[in-house]
Amino acid sequence: MKRSNWDANLPQVDSGHREMQQQQASCFGDLDLWKTAAASRLTTKEEMDQFIAQSVAELSFQDRQRELEELHGVAQVSSEHAPFIEAKLQELNTEVTRLKHANSSYKMAEKMSPLYVGRRDFRLMFLRADRYDPIAAAERVFRFFHVKGKLFGDDKLVQDISFNDLDEKDKEVLLSGTIQALDRRDSIGRQLVVSLSFGGLHRGSKVIQNDLRGWYYTIMKALERQRTQIQGFTFIFYAVGQYRDSAGGYGLLDAAKLIVSLPFHVASFHFCCDDHTQLLLFSSAVKLLFAHKIIARFKVHFGSHLECQAALNGYGIPSTSLSLSSTDFQPVLVDQLEWYKECERMDTVDRKRTAGVISPPRPTTSEHVDRSISPKAEDVLLGSGYNHHDGNLRLHQVMDSVDRKYSEASSPDARLAICDFVLCKMREFGSRFLRVNNESMQWEDVGNAEARQRVAKAFRNRRRVRERKKNKG
């Protein structure tokens, strides 16, 4: 049996599971040994429910209440007031500095690009994932770079992974619908992520690598929405009928490690199955890797397709979110294909724009307006009244990460380079700079030249505000 190509020595996930995690190297590297260890674990829904209840009971009353409220979608998400966020970011920076000596992947990334690893919006994702716990967020940062290096190579550590970075096998994973993070939400608006079983996570280490790279790309694309970062994911593992794992769980621990390494918050986790072997495999991974707080947000649904989907409905998750036919429960991947094509299209446009092959024209009259344009969450909207739009907030986060460099820049060329950096980062997020044309009253893309001017103006305005405050002081 091939050993996984991931290093088993990831940072600890939960001190309460330290003894179990010390066994992780052998369990992770040898499926037979893992199955032997799993044989004494949970094999029925009742046993799994009891285990979850015990995990909940070990929490403090306050933690127990908060985790159960999150599972049922009634928890209050912390308000991101500026003083609170800045204090938490400072605490996270302190923890990263204190612990980074033990993480070679992070140190390599920091040496390659301090700006990338220190970006405000990047680190804020990790704080949101761990509900503003700076120690847990720092540990997740280290796991993230370890995992990213293993999946894509060290040369990609300080680059956002694009569609073009995936190979053909990775793209087959996306097309298969094994992992889906379409713009579908539960009844309270949380992003749904659906895994149709453990799919191809059993056909050899190379294919495991493809599956996990597909998972990585899909989840990170969903995290481009600030709303999703804040609210978290409702995660559904679906292993019913033809979606059972038929190969004994090979690669399941790799998938679980990916889940605890990416910067997203698991608001609730639903495992659907109709076979006790599936339950055994799932419970083994849970006990090996997940902390009690996360386990408190787990629910197991055991039964047929209809029974499991009815149970999901009880948690505000519509059966249509699974993209399965209502008759034979085969995958219906029309929306997944559209998502795939849009990812491919946006990546092609971004690469050509970066290479200077194309440049978005700047409309000057209503005759040039693309009347099909409608603002998206990631777009920057120019004009008054849009300060709290997602894209505008993200622009200011990117500017925050280089604000000091801009203020210390010694020449116009240096300041222009920083503006270009900000613009490129926003383009990576898929952002356009849009304004309403006064003649046609339609949205239009102002193009790179004016977008760069707008960024430079925003930096100058920041400098004026600081000077006024300094003079008043």
Side-chain angles (χ1 to χ4, degrees):
M1 186 67 67
K2 291 184 179 180
R3 180 178 177 83
S4 166
N5 56 3
W6 283 29
D7 186 345
N9 298 317
L10 280 174
Q12 298 294 319
V13 177
D14 177 54
S15 58
H17 289 168
R18 185 161 298 169
E19 180 180 351
M20 191 69 73
Q21 288 176 321
Q22 288 171 351
Q23 304 171 18
Q24 185 172 308
S26 59
C27 291
F28 189 47
D30 189 320
L31 177 62
D32 292 332
L33 185 58
W34 179 40
K35 289 171 70 176
T36 300
S40 61
R41 297 194 183 123
L42 313 175
T43 58
T44 69
K45 181 180 184 301
E46 290 72 22
E47 289 174 338
M48 189 66 187
D49 287 341
Q50 184 179 4
F51 169 68
I52 293 174
Q54 289 173 347
S55 298
V56 173
E58 293 184 23
L59 300 175
S60 67
F61 175 80
Q62 184 178 7
D63 285 344
R64 186 186 317 150
Q65 194 73 13
R66 181 170 57 249
E67 301 308 324
L68 291 177
E69 286 177 352
E70 184 135 45
L71 169 65
H72 293 280
V74 295
Q76 295 293 320
V77 178
S78 299
S79 298
E80 292 195 337
H81 299 301
F84 171 80
I85 290 299
E86 295 309 317
K88 289 298 180 182
L89 282 169
Q90 184 58 50
E91 291 178 39
L92 173 57
N93 294 342
T94 300
E95 291 300 323
V96 168
T97 301
R98 182 174 68 87
L99 299 171
K100 68 180 181 181
H101 67 278
N103 191 273
S104 58
S105 296
Y106 176 83
K107 288 194 296 183
M108 183 186 302
E110 186 179 48
K111 185 176 181 180
M112 293 167 67
S113 176
L115 185 62
Y116 184 92
V117 301
R119 280 168 25 218
R120 184 181 186 276
D121 63 314
F122 177 74
R123 294 199 169 186
L124 188 53
M125 281 199 299
F126 291 87
L127 278 174
R128 288 165 173 162
D130 285 297
R131 287 302 182 250
Y132 313 99
D133 180 338
I135 297 176
E139 292 174 349
R140 190 183 292 262
V141 168
F142 299 145
R143 292 197 298 269
F144 172 82
F145 281 107
H146 177 92
V147 164
K148 188 177 184 182
K150 290 295 181 182
L151 288 180
F152 298 97
D154 292 340
D155 60 318
K156 297 291 185 182
L157 279 175
V158 293
Q159 297 179 28
D160 292 335
I161 301 303
S162 69
F163 186 85
N164 193 50
D165 292 317
L166 307 179
D167 63 27
E168 292 307 311
K169 293 291 185 181
D170 301 335
K171 293 172 184 177
E172 287 178 11
V173 173
L174 302 184
L175 283 170
S176 72
T178 298
I179 179 73
Q180 301 176 34
L182 305 174
D183 191 17
R184 294 174 180 169
R185 300 182 179 271
D186 62 15
S187 59
I188 61 168
R190 297 184 298 204
Q191 170 82 54
L192 294 173
V193 176
V194 178
S195 168
L196 296 178
S197 182
F198 317 125
L201 298 176
H202 62 264
R203 295 163 291 182
S205 60
K206 175 59 178 173
V207 176
I208 290 175
Q209 192 91 343
N210 297 136
D211 282 309
L212 297 172
R213 282 157 61 102
W215 278 43
Y216 177 103
Y217 178 81
T218 299
I219 291 173
M220 294 304 291
K221 283 292 289 183
L223 287 172
E224 291 177 1
R225 292 179 177 271
Q226 182 173 294
R227 173 187 177 188
T228 297
Q229 294 177 25
I230 295 173
Q231 291 183 319
F233 286 142
T234 291
F235 215 108
I236 306 164
F237 264 59
Y238 198 79
V240 181
Q242 61 267 51
Y243 303 106
R244 297 174 189 166
D245 173 22
S246 60
Y250 188 71
L252 176 57
L253 286 181
D254 285 3
K257 282 185 176 181
L258 183 63
I259 290 173
V260 299
S261 301
L262 296 185
F264 72 92
H265 181 71
V266 179
S268 66
F269 199 113
H270 298 263
F271 180 71
C272 301
C273 67
D274 61 350
D275 178 80
H276 291 296
T277 301
Q278 308 298 304
L279 194 56
L280 182 149
L281 297 173
F282 174 71
S283 65
S284 300
V286 169
K287 294 187 75 173
L288 280 167
L289 276 176
F290 290 100
H292 293 308
K293 284 186 177 181
I294 299 179
I295 293 172
R297 293 176 239 134
F298 280 30
K299 287 298 295 184
V300 173
H301 310 294
F302 193 92
S304 66
H305 285 289
L306 292 177
E307 288 171 329
C308 286
Q309 291 178 22
L312 291 174
N313 271 314
Y315 285 86
I317 303 169
S319 58
T320 53
S321 64
L322 300 177
S323 298
L324 301 179
S325 166
S326 60
T327 54
D328 57 5
F329 304 105
Q330 292 299 314
V332 179
L333 301 176
V334 176
D335 291 341
Q336 182 73 5
L337 180 59
E338 289 185 4
W339 172 84
Y340 177 93
K341 289 180 177 178
E342 179 64 13
C343 292
E344 185 177 37
R345 185 189 69 81
M346 289 301 299
D347 186 72
T348 300
V349 171
D350 289 343
R351 281 188 290 115
K352 288 183 177 180
R353 182 176 295 139
T354 301
V357 177
I358 62 172
S359 180
R362 175 185 170 184
T364 56
T365 70
S366 59
E367 295 177 1
H368 298 100
V369 174
D370 180 354
R371 298 182 187 277
S372 65
I373 287 181
S374 58
K376 298 180 180 180
E378 59 267 25
D379 292 330
V380 177
L381 306 185
L382 305 177
S384 60
Y386 303 114
N387 290 340
H388 298 290
H389 182 72
D390 284 356
N392 295 56
L393 292 172
R394 171 166 282 182
L395 171 62
H396 285 288
Q397 289 170 358
V398 175
M399 291 177 63
D400 287 344
S401 70
V402 293
D403 192 37
R404 182 174 179 180
K405 288 183 178 295
Y406 187 90
S407 63
E408 295 175 351
S410 58
S411 68
D413 285 344
R415 289 191 287 272
L416 180 61
I418 294 173
C419 291
D420 282 337
F421 169 83
V422 172
L423 186 57
C424 286
K425 293 308 299 180
M426 296 304 295
R427 296 303 192 196
E428 287 179 12
F429 296 134
S431 301
R432 301 168 296 180
F433 285 69
L434 305 181
R435 69 179 174 196
V436 175
N437 185 287
N438 291 331
E439 296 179 13
S440 67
M441 298 308 292
Q442 300 285 334
W443 286 100
E444 60 184 18
D445 188 329
V446 302
N448 285 337
E450 182 163 344
R452 187 182 296 109
Q453 293 174 8
R454 294 283 187 147
V455 172
K457 182 179 179 181
F459 275 122
R460 291 195 297 272
N461 288 340
R462 287 177 169 216
R463 184 182 62 194
R464 294 190 188 100
V465 169
R466 285 194 296 268
E467 290 175 351
R468 282 199 298 268
K469 288 182 178 180
K470 183 178 179 180
N471 293 334
K472 287 182 179 179

